[in-house]
Amino acid sequence: MEDKNKNGEEEEECSIDGDILASILSNLPLLDLDSACHVSKSWNRAVFFSLRRLKSTPWLFVFKQRSLSPYTLAATAYDPKSEKWIELRTGSSPVEHVSAARSSHSTLLYALSPAKLSFPIDAFHLSWRHVAPPRVWRIDPVVAVVGRCLIVAGGVCEFEDDRLAVELLDVESGEEAWERCESMPQYLSGSASSTWLSVAVSAETMYVTEKASGVACCFDPETKSWTELLDFSPSDCRLYSRVIGFVGNRLLMAGITGDEDNPTGIELWEVDSTGSPMKLKFESIGSMPTACLEKLRGIDSDWPLTSIVFNAVGDMVYMNNAAETGEIVAAEIEGRKLCKWRTLLYADARGHAGERLIVACSNVSFSDLKRAFRDDLRFSVMV
């Protein structure tokens, strides 16, 4: 392969067959792939062809938000392909005047204030869209995106008439008109907020389950109504807390065994919800190793483990302590089972005094990376 130098003369490169080079490049992390584009024209072509084999990479994003104004967000990301933490630096935070940003169902980051509801529309959470707030005043609602529908449920302030109110916004309609839907089931009246509920979304449905009891139901954006009850409680295992999430079209559940003061393990299942609603099928896909559980709990293992944060995207699963202590635990999905368990060794991936920790995921593609560079995002690999 040959390219011309600055003087117009042809210079020889190390001869590597184009298909072989493309195959090699398809195994590189995205940041290295970007560097490979600038080696030569032939390498640039090889990068282009390698993208046919390259899948999106499931990055983990850790945001720290100040608890005092301005409520700026500082972001770091973990690339599982390179197993490196990356500091993300950009301009002003789009939510610096909002007191609390939150995450939901692994891939959604949002910020709700009396003036607007904001959420990012790109993989790196750089470009945010701002829409009118829901008509019902809320503090800690369940928020989800199913297809083109933005759904806000529960978390209603005490002075509102309907504490279980549900609203829906079609984000592609061009109008910012929230529609009232069927309210959440009455049995959720004591737990209708994101603190007590875990949410997961498929391409067509939002699943909501009580973390403590496992009682759950589904919301259909098309009919704007709720289904009958589900029971996310395996018959052969006693859980005191559980969280759910989707990987592709697979519904996964992570549950803590034992009790808050003495958790004995974290088990994970794939849940088959296609049969009878009250007879879900649970297939075990893995157990968190004891060493990882201890790291997740943190230095002070005497502190109760009340709940965990569960993020899943692509072929990766990430879990951390909801109390913002301890380390983040990661595992890979291979052959429908979890393997390659590890803790992510980055000391700043936890909350500190005066900060809140928000964890989310994104499938990051090469085009996402190039777009982020155009938006002036700067990357710094952390040691």
Side-chain angles (χ1 to χ4, degrees):
M1 295 180 290
E2 296 181 341
D3 282 321
K4 292 185 177 180
N5 60 22
K6 293 181 180 179
N7 297 322
E9 300 172 347
E10 291 187 345
E11 55 184 17
E12 292 188 1
E13 298 176 357
C14 180
S15 179
I16 304 177
D17 180 80
D19 288 340
I20 296 176
L21 180 58
S23 178
I24 294 172
L25 292 175
S26 67
N27 292 303
L28 289 179
L30 290 178
L31 288 176
D32 293 338
L33 201 61
D34 179 70
S35 301
C37 285
H38 305 287
V39 173
S40 68
K41 291 180 180 178
S42 55
W43 278 57
N44 190 296
R45 288 193 297 270
V47 168
F48 174 78
F49 287 113
S50 73
L51 296 178
R52 298 178 180 179
R53 310 177 188 181
L54 182 67
K55 298 187 298 182
S56 298
T57 306
W59 283 29
L60 175 73
F61 292 84
V62 177
F63 300 91
K64 294 179 182 178
Q65 186 179 35
R66 285 168 45 90
S67 57
L68 299 174
S69 181
Y71 306 101
T72 52
L73 283 175
T76 54
Y78 174 75
D79 174 13
K81 200 162 189 177
S82 65
E83 297 188 348
K84 292 179 180 178
W85 284 98
I86 302 163
E87 183 181 8
L88 309 179
R89 298 191 300 276
T90 185
S92 61
S93 168
V95 293
E96 61 185 13
H97 302 299
V98 178
S99 60
R102 302 179 187 275
S103 63
S104 178
H105 63 77
S106 299
T107 57
L108 176 64
L109 189 69
Y110 67 93
L112 177 62
S113 73
K116 59 188 176 183
L117 193 157
S118 307
F119 53 95
I121 54 176
D122 68 308
F124 284 94
H125 308 93
L126 294 175
S127 301
W128 287 60
R129 180 176 175 182
H130 309 284
V131 299
R135 291 179 293 177
V136 177
W137 192 294
R138 305 169 190 269
I139 298 176
D140 183 26
V142 168
V143 180
V145 173
V146 180
R148 56 189 289 164
C149 297
L150 178 62
I151 304 164
V152 180
V156 177
C157 294
E158 293 184 2
F159 56 79
E160 293 282 358
D161 293 333
D162 185 358
R163 301 291 300 279
L164 299 169
V166 178
E167 295 175 81
L168 180 150
L169 177 68
D170 185 338
V171 295
E172 296 182 10
S173 67
E175 301 179 2
E176 294 190 5
W178 288 90
E179 296 182 60
R180 287 294 291 267
C181 307
E182 180 185 1
S183 297
M184 301 178 79
Q186 189 62 38
Y187 69 84
L188 293 177
S189 60
S191 59
S193 74
S194 64
T195 299
W196 310 112
L197 299 176
S198 179
V199 58
V201 299
S202 66
E204 301 174 343
T205 307
M206 177 178 75
Y207 289 74
V208 173
T209 180
E210 280 189 338
K211 296 177 183 179
S213 70
V215 176
C217 58
C218 301
F219 179 78
D220 184 347
E222 287 294 322
T223 62
K224 301 180 179 62
S225 61
W226 295 85
T227 66
E228 54 189 308
L229 298 183
L230 304 168
D231 185 8
F232 280 66
S233 298
S235 59
D236 59 346
C237 189
R238 178 181 172 274
L239 306 176
Y240 71 85
S241 181
R242 73 221 70 207
V243 286
I244 56 175
F246 268 93
V247 172
N249 59 358
R250 300 171 60 194
L251 177 58
L252 306 185
M253 181 178 74
I256 314 176
T257 59
D259 56 59
E260 291 186 6
D261 295 320
N262 184 32
T264 57
I266 294 179
E267 303 292 328
L268 292 101
W269 295 265
E270 180 176 352
V271 183
D272 181 359
S273 58
T274 59
S276 173
M278 292 304 289
K279 293 182 179 179
L280 300 175
K281 296 179 181 179
F282 297 87
E283 179 183 350
S284 175
I285 61 172
S287 303
M288 182 180 291
T290 301
C292 291
L293 176 60
E294 293 175 353
K295 292 284 188 179
L296 180 143
R297 293 191 68 187
I299 298 175
D300 187 2
S301 59
D302 293 331
W303 192 261
L305 179 61
T306 57
S307 182
I308 57 174
V309 177
F310 181 77
N311 286 282
V313 67
D315 57 0
M316 293 295 300
V317 167
Y318 301 99
M319 285 170 280
N320 62 283
N321 192 336
E324 301 183 9
T325 62
E327 297 181 12
I328 297 173
V329 176
E332 297 182 28
I333 302 174
E334 289 186 0
R336 307 185 74 86
K337 299 290 183 180
L338 290 172
C339 62
K340 299 180 182 178
W341 290 88
R342 57 190 181 271
T343 56
L344 306 186
L345 301 177
Y346 169 44
D348 283 340
R350 61 183 68 178
H352 296 286
E355 294 178 336
R356 295 179 57 255
L357 193 71
I358 308 129
V359 182
C361 290
S362 285
N363 265 322
V364 178
S365 67
F366 189 66
S367 59
D368 292 324
L369 185 67
K370 300 297 286 184
R371 190 178 303 112
F373 280 134
R374 290 198 300 269
D375 291 339
D376 202 30
L377 179 66
R378 292 177 175 83
F379 297 83
S380 177
V381 177
M382 308 181 74
V383 179

Short mmCIF file of all heavy atoms in Angstrom, two decimals, residues 99-134:
data_model
loop_
_atom_site.label_atom_id
_atom_site.label_comp_id
_atom_site.label_asym_id
_atom_site.label_seq_id
_atom_site.Cartn_x
_atom_site.Cartn_y
_atom_site.Cartn_z
N SER A 99 -31.28 21.35 40.50
CA SER A 99 -30.70 20.83 41.73
C SER A 99 -30.39 19.34 41.69
O SER A 99 -29.50 18.88 42.39
CB SER A 99 -31.62 21.12 42.92
OG SER A 99 -32.88 20.52 42.72
N ALA A 100 -31.10 18.55 40.87
CA ALA A 100 -30.89 17.10 40.91
C ALA A 100 -31.06 16.47 39.54
O ALA A 100 -32.17 16.41 39.02
CB ALA A 100 -31.85 16.46 41.90
N ALA A 101 -29.95 16.01 38.97
CA ALA A 101 -30.03 15.16 37.79
C ALA A 101 -30.14 13.71 38.26
O ALA A 101 -29.65 13.36 39.34
CB ALA A 101 -28.79 15.35 36.92
N ARG A 102 -30.80 12.88 37.48
CA ARG A 102 -31.00 11.48 37.86
C ARG A 102 -30.83 10.60 36.63
O ARG A 102 -30.81 11.07 35.50
CB ARG A 102 -32.40 11.28 38.46
CG ARG A 102 -32.71 12.14 39.69
CD ARG A 102 -34.11 11.88 40.20
NE ARG A 102 -34.49 12.79 41.26
CZ ARG A 102 -34.21 12.60 42.55
NH1 ARG A 102 -33.57 11.50 42.92
NH2 ARG A 102 -34.59 13.46 43.46
N SER A 103 -30.72 9.28 36.89
CA SER A 103 -30.67 8.32 35.80
C SER A 103 -31.81 7.32 35.96
O SER A 103 -32.33 7.12 37.06
CB SER A 103 -29.33 7.59 35.77
OG SER A 103 -29.15 6.82 36.95
N SER A 104 -32.18 6.69 34.83
CA SER A 104 -33.28 5.74 34.84
C SER A 104 -33.06 4.71 33.76
O SER A 104 -32.52 5.02 32.69
CB SER A 104 -34.62 6.46 34.62
OG SER A 104 -35.70 5.55 34.60
N HIS A 105 -33.47 3.49 34.01
CA HIS A 105 -33.37 2.32 33.12
C HIS A 105 -32.08 2.33 32.29
O HIS A 105 -32.09 2.18 31.08
CB HIS A 105 -34.62 2.15 32.26
CG HIS A 105 -34.95 3.26 31.29
ND1 HIS A 105 -34.29 3.43 30.09
CD2 HIS A 105 -35.90 4.22 31.32
CE1 HIS A 105 -34.82 4.44 29.42
NE2 HIS A 105 -35.79 4.94 30.15
N SER A 106 -30.95 2.48 32.96
CA SER A 106 -29.61 2.32 32.41
C SER A 106 -29.17 3.43 31.47
O SER A 106 -28.08 3.98 31.61
CB SER A 106 -29.44 0.97 31.70
OG SER A 106 -29.65 -0.11 32.57
N THR A 107 -29.99 3.78 30.48
CA THR A 107 -29.52 4.66 29.43
C THR A 107 -30.08 6.08 29.48
O THR A 107 -29.66 6.93 28.70
CB THR A 107 -29.86 4.07 28.05
OG1 THR A 107 -31.27 3.85 27.96
CG2 THR A 107 -29.14 2.74 27.84
N LEU A 108 -31.01 6.34 30.39
CA LEU A 108 -31.65 7.66 30.43
C LEU A 108 -31.09 8.50 31.57
O LEU A 108 -31.09 8.08 32.72
CB LEU A 108 -33.17 7.52 30.59
CG LEU A 108 -33.94 8.85 30.74
CD1 LEU A 108 -33.82 9.69 29.47
CD2 LEU A 108 -35.41 8.59 31.06
N LEU A 109 -30.61 9.68 31.23
CA LEU A 109 -30.22 10.70 32.20
C LEU A 109 -31.19 11.85 32.04
O LEU A 109 -31.53 12.23 30.91
CB LEU A 109 -28.78 11.15 31.94
CG LEU A 109 -28.10 12.05 32.97
CD1 LEU A 109 -27.83 11.28 34.26
CD2 LEU A 109 -26.79 12.60 32.41
N TYR A 110 -31.67 12.42 33.14
CA TYR A 110 -32.65 13.49 33.02
C TYR A 110 -32.55 14.44 34.21
O TYR A 110 -31.96 14.12 35.25
CB TYR A 110 -34.07 12.94 32.92
CG TYR A 110 -34.57 12.26 34.18
CD1 TYR A 110 -35.30 12.97 35.15
CD2 TYR A 110 -34.30 10.93 34.44
CE1 TYR A 110 -35.74 12.36 36.31
CE2 TYR A 110 -34.73 10.31 35.59
CZ TYR A 110 -35.45 11.02 36.53
OH TYR A 110 -35.88 10.41 37.68
N ALA A 111 -33.13 15.61 34.04
CA ALA A 111 -33.18 16.60 35.12
C ALA A 111 -34.55 17.27 35.07
O ALA A 111 -34.96 17.78 34.02
CB ALA A 111 -32.06 17.64 34.95
N LEU A 112 -35.24 17.27 36.19
CA LEU A 112 -36.60 17.81 36.27
C LEU A 112 -36.62 19.01 37.21
O LEU A 112 -36.12 18.95 38.33
CB LEU A 112 -37.56 16.73 36.78
CG LEU A 112 -39.02 17.15 36.99
CD1 LEU A 112 -39.66 17.60 35.68
CD2 LEU A 112 -39.82 16.00 37.60
N SER A 113 -37.18 20.10 36.74
CA SER A 113 -37.36 21.30 37.55
C SER A 113 -38.76 21.85 37.28
O SER A 113 -39.43 21.40 36.35
CB SER A 113 -36.30 22.35 37.20
OG SER A 113 -36.58 22.92 35.93
N PRO A 114 -39.23 22.82 38.08
CA PRO A 114 -40.55 23.40 37.80
C PRO A 114 -40.63 24.07 36.43
O PRO A 114 -41.72 24.25 35.89
CB PRO A 114 -40.72 24.43 38.93
CG PRO A 114 -39.85 23.92 40.03
CD PRO A 114 -38.67 23.30 39.36
N ALA A 115 -39.48 24.42 35.85
CA ALA A 115 -39.48 25.15 34.58
C ALA A 115 -39.38 24.24 33.37
O ALA A 115 -39.86 24.59 32.28
CB ALA A 115 -38.33 26.16 34.55
N LYS A 116 -38.76 23.06 33.51
CA LYS A 116 -38.54 22.21 32.33
C LYS A 116 -38.12 20.81 32.75
O LYS A 116 -37.72 20.57 33.89
CB LYS A 116 -37.46 22.82 31.42
CG LYS A 116 -36.12 23.00 32.12
CD LYS A 116 -35.13 23.77 31.26
CE LYS A 116 -33.83 24.03 32.02
NZ LYS A 116 -32.90 24.85 31.23
N LEU A 117 -38.21 19.89 31.79
CA LEU A 117 -37.64 18.55 31.93
C LEU A 117 -36.59 18.42 30.84
O LEU A 117 -36.88 18.65 29.66
CB LEU A 117 -38.72 17.48 31.79
CG LEU A 117 -38.33 16.05 32.22
CD1 LEU A 117 -39.57 15.24 32.57
CD2 LEU A 117 -37.54 15.31 31.15
N SER A 118 -35.38 18.06 31.22
CA SER A 118 -34.26 18.00 30.28
C SER A 118 -33.70 16.59 30.22
O SER A 118 -33.65 15.89 31.23
CB SER A 118 -33.15 18.97 30.72
OG SER A 118 -33.66 20.28 30.92
N PHE A 119 -33.27 16.20 29.02
CA PHE A 119 -32.66 14.88 28.85
C PHE A 119 -31.72 14.93 27.65
O PHE A 119 -31.97 15.65 26.67
CB PHE A 119 -33.73 13.79 28.66
CG PHE A 119 -34.71 14.08 27.55
CD1 PHE A 119 -34.51 13.56 26.28
CD2 PHE A 119 -35.83 14.87 27.78
CE1 PHE A 119 -35.41 13.82 25.26
CE2 PHE A 119 -36.73 15.13 26.76
CZ PHE A 119 -36.53 14.61 25.49
N PRO A 120 -30.60 14.17 27.69
CA PRO A 120 -29.64 14.20 26.57
C PRO A 120 -30.14 13.39 25.39
O PRO A 120 -30.91 12.44 25.54
CB PRO A 120 -28.38 13.58 27.17
CG PRO A 120 -28.87 12.72 28.29
CD PRO A 120 -30.12 13.36 28.82
N ILE A 121 -29.67 13.76 24.20
CA ILE A 121 -30.10 13.08 22.98
C ILE A 121 -28.92 12.49 22.23
O ILE A 121 -29.04 12.14 21.06
CB ILE A 121 -30.89 14.05 22.07
CG1 ILE A 121 -30.06 15.31 21.77
CG2 ILE A 121 -32.22 14.42 22.69
CD1 ILE A 121 -30.73 16.27 20.79
N ASP A 122 -27.77 12.37 22.91
CA ASP A 122 -26.60 11.77 22.27
C ASP A 122 -25.94 10.80 23.24
O ASP A 122 -26.23 10.81 24.45
CB ASP A 122 -25.60 12.84 21.83
CG ASP A 122 -24.96 13.53 23.02
OD1 ASP A 122 -25.69 14.01 23.91
OD2 ASP A 122 -23.73 13.57 23.08
N ALA A 123 -25.05 9.98 22.75
CA ALA A 123 -24.45 8.91 23.55
C ALA A 123 -23.59 9.46 24.69
O ALA A 123 -23.49 8.83 25.75
CB ALA A 123 -23.61 8.00 22.66
N PHE A 124 -22.95 10.61 24.50
CA PHE A 124 -22.06 11.16 25.51
C PHE A 124 -22.77 12.13 26.47
O PHE A 124 -22.12 12.75 27.30
CB PHE A 124 -20.87 11.86 24.85
CG PHE A 124 -19.85 10.91 24.30
CD1 PHE A 124 -19.89 10.52 22.98
CD2 PHE A 124 -18.85 10.40 25.11
CE1 PHE A 124 -18.95 9.63 22.46
CE2 PHE A 124 -17.90 9.52 24.61
CZ PHE A 124 -17.95 9.13 23.28
N HIS A 125 -24.07 12.30 26.32
CA HIS A 125 -24.86 13.16 27.19
C HIS A 125 -24.37 14.61 27.12
O HIS A 125 -24.33 15.32 28.12
CB HIS A 125 -24.81 12.66 28.65
CG HIS A 125 -25.16 11.23 28.80
ND1 HIS A 125 -24.21 10.23 28.79
CD2 HIS A 125 -26.35 10.61 28.94
CE1 HIS A 125 -24.80 9.06 28.94
NE2 HIS A 125 -26.10 9.26 29.02
N LEU A 126 -24.02 15.05 25.91
CA LEU A 126 -23.55 16.42 25.71
C LEU A 126 -24.68 17.34 25.25
O LEU A 126 -24.80 18.47 25.73
CB LEU A 126 -22.45 16.44 24.64
CG LEU A 126 -21.13 15.75 24.99
CD1 LEU A 126 -20.21 15.77 23.78
CD2 LEU A 126 -20.47 16.43 26.18
N SER A 127 -25.48 16.86 24.31
CA SER A 127 -26.57 17.67 23.76
C SER A 127 -27.87 17.31 24.46
O SER A 127 -28.28 16.15 24.45
CB SER A 127 -26.71 17.41 22.25
OG SER A 127 -25.50 17.72 21.58
N TRP A 128 -28.48 18.30 25.07
CA TRP A 128 -29.69 18.07 25.86
C TRP A 128 -30.88 18.72 25.18
O TRP A 128 -30.78 19.80 24.59
CB TRP A 128 -29.52 18.64 27.27
CG TRP A 128 -28.60 17.83 28.14
CD1 TRP A 128 -27.28 17.55 27.91
CD2 TRP A 128 -28.93 17.21 29.38
NE1 TRP A 128 -26.77 16.80 28.92
CE2 TRP A 128 -27.75 16.58 29.84
CE3 TRP A 128 -30.09 17.13 30.13
CZ2 TRP A 128 -27.72 15.87 31.04
CZ3 TRP A 128 -30.06 16.43 31.33
CH2 TRP A 128 -28.88 15.80 31.77
N ARG A 129 -32.01 18.05 25.30
CA ARG A 129 -33.27 18.62 24.84
C ARG A 129 -34.08 19.06 26.06
O ARG A 129 -34.12 18.35 27.07
CB ARG A 129 -34.06 17.61 24.02
CG ARG A 129 -35.39 18.16 23.51
CD ARG A 129 -36.12 17.19 22.62
NE ARG A 129 -37.44 17.70 22.27
CZ ARG A 129 -38.32 17.04 21.54
NH1 ARG A 129 -38.02 15.84 21.06
NH2 ARG A 129 -39.50 17.57 21.27
N HIS A 130 -34.71 20.21 25.94
CA HIS A 130 -35.50 20.75 27.04
C HIS A 130 -36.96 20.84 26.60
O HIS A 130 -37.27 21.40 25.54
CB HIS A 130 -34.99 22.14 27.44
CG HIS A 130 -33.51 22.18 27.70
ND1 HIS A 130 -32.94 21.69 28.85
CD2 HIS A 130 -32.48 22.64 26.93
CE1 HIS A 130 -31.62 21.85 28.79
NE2 HIS A 130 -31.33 22.42 27.64
N VAL A 131 -37.85 20.26 27.39
CA VAL A 131 -39.28 20.31 27.09
C VAL A 131 -40.02 20.89 28.30
O VAL A 131 -39.46 21.00 29.40
CB VAL A 131 -39.83 18.91 26.74
CG1 VAL A 131 -39.12 18.35 25.51
CG2 VAL A 131 -39.68 17.95 27.93
N ALA A 132 -41.26 21.24 28.07
CA ALA A 132 -42.09 21.76 29.16
C ALA A 132 -42.24 20.70 30.25
O ALA A 132 -42.27 19.50 29.96
CB ALA A 132 -43.47 22.15 28.62
N PRO A 133 -42.31 21.12 31.51
CA PRO A 133 -42.43 20.13 32.59
C PRO A 133 -43.81 19.49 32.59
O PRO A 133 -44.76 20.03 32.00
CB PRO A 133 -42.23 20.99 33.85
CG PRO A 133 -42.75 22.33 33.46
CD PRO A 133 -42.35 22.51 32.01
N PRO A 134 -43.97 18.33 33.22
CA PRO A 134 -45.31 17.73 33.36
C PRO A 134 -46.25 18.69 34.07
O PRO A 134 -45.83 19.56 34.84
CB PRO A 134 -45.05 16.47 34.20
CG PRO A 134 -43.59 16.18 34.02
CD PRO A 134 -42.92 17.50 33.85
#
